[in-house]
């Protein structure tokens, strides 16, 4: 049980580091309104896995539009859907979301970074 708790703590430290780097990038480019952020989960995961990251961004940069992108049915489609199809869906979602029209920061985890 202690090993599992340690793994969760390490995972949170890693995420915290990523969020801090993202926050620095976002804060450095903030003008009148914060730049929107798109979060993309990794393989065998789902958009809800990014809830903590989304909450941190919204807490430390109030007013930031955060999109936790989900392609298909989450974990199963992240494994079995062809990558070209995932990229096509990703592009459709991003291009049809008005708050993202003038640019955004993208944070992808694992396979989400590859997309």
């Amino acid at each position: 049980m202690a090993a599992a708790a340690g793994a969760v703590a390490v995972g949170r430290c890693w995420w915290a580091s990523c969020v801090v780097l993202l926050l620095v990038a976002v804060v450095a480019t903030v003008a009148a309104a914060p730049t929107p952020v798109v979060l993309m989960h990794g393989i065998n995961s789902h958009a809800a896995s990014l809830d903590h990251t989304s909450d941190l961004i919204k807490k430390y940069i109030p007013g930031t539009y955060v999109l936790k992108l989900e392609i298909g049915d989450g974990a199963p489609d992240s494994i079995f859907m062809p990558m070209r199809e995932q990229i096509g869906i990703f592009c459709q979602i991003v291009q049809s979301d008005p708050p993202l029209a003038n640019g955004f920061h993208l944070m992808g985890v694992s396979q989400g970074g590859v997309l």
Side-chain angles (χ1 to χ4, degrees):
M1 191 60 108
V8 169
V10 169
R12 285 195 177 148
C13 288
W14 182 84
W15 274 105
S17 298
C18 289
V19 169
V20 168
L21 290 173
L22 178 64
L23 292 175
V24 168
V26 171
V27 170
T29 60
V30 170
T35 302
V37 177
V38 175
L39 302 175
M40 185 64 217
H41 65 82
I43 194 166
N44 199 30
S45 193
H46 45 82
S49 67
L50 298 167
D51 286 347
H52 182 69
T53 304
S54 174
D55 292 344
L56 285 174
I57 293 168
K58 291 176 183 178
K59 176 180 178 182
Y60 290 106
I61 310 173
T64 302
Y65 175 78
V66 179
L67 173 64
K68 296 178 298 179
L69 219 134
E70 184 79 63
I71 294 176
D73 293 326
D77 282 339
S78 73
I79 297 169
F80 299 112
M81 183 184 290
M83 194 64 118
R84 268 184 210 258
E85 193 174 337
Q86 291 184 48
I87 292 169
I89 294 169
F90 176 91
C91 291
Q92 287 174 344
I93 293 170
V94 168
Q95 290 172 346
S96 67
D97 197 331
L100 305 177
N102 293 317
F104 57 91
H105 294 290
L106 173 63
M107 180 179 166
V109 178
S110 183
Q111 180 176 305
V114 174
L115 289 175

